[in-house]
Amino acid sequence: IKYDEQGFYRQKVQKCQATGAVDILALSETELFLIEVKDFRMHRIENKQRIQHAELADDVAQKVRDTIVGLYGAYRCHASTLAPFYNYLFANPKSIQEKRDSRKITALLFLEEDSPSLKYRNLKVVHRYLRENMEIRLKFLQVRCHVYNKKTLPKKIRLASHGLTFFNPTYK
């Protein structure tokens, strides 16, 4: 679901000044994915500082945090289009331990950029740097973080494979 285009986000959450949102929410049986997509192709120079100084990691971490808060607001307001996502996070499990241990949250940053002179090894270093900075900022929420592009995306999390389902609110 495109979270940042949802009515609840646009009409309620976004009214809180400087609130951000991830682009996409996806849900499997065992994991909530908060997905941010950045296309820096043709904009490598102007975004170089954002990457090198972890500003991009800050931006994504804030969007993930704000999205989780937005889902809590949706839970409190009974926003039905977001129900599968907030129920995954906030519905009462059988035990507190079950909730903490079984409900994984993963932030995925899909970052496409021009890199004619950037070797794959250096790309891995950049992705690890961004991932580590995101994880530091989101540690208190126990969010796992990954940074990929179309070349580095593992087959196990390709959009159409192995249990990763994008929720369709019109599906009955």
Side-chain angles (χ1 to χ4, degrees), residues 3-171:
Y3 176 68
D4 60 355
E5 294 179 3
Q6 288 298 300
F8 181 81
Y9 173 74
R10 297 267 182 193
Q11 296 163 10
K12 306 276 186 187
V13 179
Q14 199 173 32
K15 293 194 188 254
C16 186
Q17 188 176 20
T19 300
V22 297
D23 296 318
I24 300 167
L25 295 176
L27 191 61
S28 76
E29 288 184 23
T30 59
E31 200 161 359
L32 172 63
F33 296 89
L34 298 106
I35 303 168
E36 182 67 14
V37 179
K38 294 292 185 190
D39 186 353
F40 288 171
R41 292 175 293 184
M42 308 298 289
H43 303 282
R44 185 173 61 89
I45 301 300
E46 54 264 42
N47 287 297
K48 186 176 181 180
Q49 295 291 346
R50 289 183 69 200
I51 293 170
Q52 288 180 342
H53 297 133
E55 291 172 29
L56 180 58
D58 286 339
D59 292 345
V60 174
Q62 289 172 4
K63 287 181 176 190
V64 167
R65 178 203 61 204
D66 291 350
T67 298
I68 292 171
V69 170
L71 288 173
Y72 183 70
Y75 171 72
R76 300 278 298 171
C77 293
H78 307 285
S80 62
T81 59
L82 296 171
F85 304 103
Y86 65 65
N87 283 333
Y88 176 84
L89 288 175
F90 306 116
N92 290 331
K94 293 177 186 170
S95 72
I96 298 297
Q97 188 68 32
E98 177 188 334
K99 181 176 183 177
R100 186 172 48 241
D101 293 345
S102 67
R103 298 187 183 182
K104 295 176 186 158
I105 305 170
T106 300
L108 299 176
L109 169 59
F110 290 104
L111 176 62
E112 289 296 331
E113 58 183 325
D114 295 321
S115 53
S117 62
L118 194 62
K119 292 187 174 22
Y120 178 72
R121 194 177 96 226
N122 293 335
L123 183 65
K124 286 175 68 172
V125 170
V126 169
H127 285 190
R128 184 174 56 240
Y129 173 74
L130 290 169
R131 177 186 50 81
E132 288 171 352
N133 277 280
M134 289 167 51
E135 286 176 341
I136 289 167
R137 288 150 179 80
L138 295 167
K139 185 175 182 174
F140 77 104
L141 291 171
Q142 298 179 342
V143 175
R144 300 177 335 161
C145 300
H146 300 283
V147 179
Y148 299 115
N149 66 20
K150 64 184 175 186
K151 292 179 183 174
T152 63
L153 183 65
K155 289 180 182 178
K156 69 179 182 178
I157 62 167
R158 291 206 188 273
L159 302 182
S161 68
H162 300 91
L164 178 60
T165 306
F166 285 101
F167 174 72
N168 179 348
T170 60
Y171 180 77

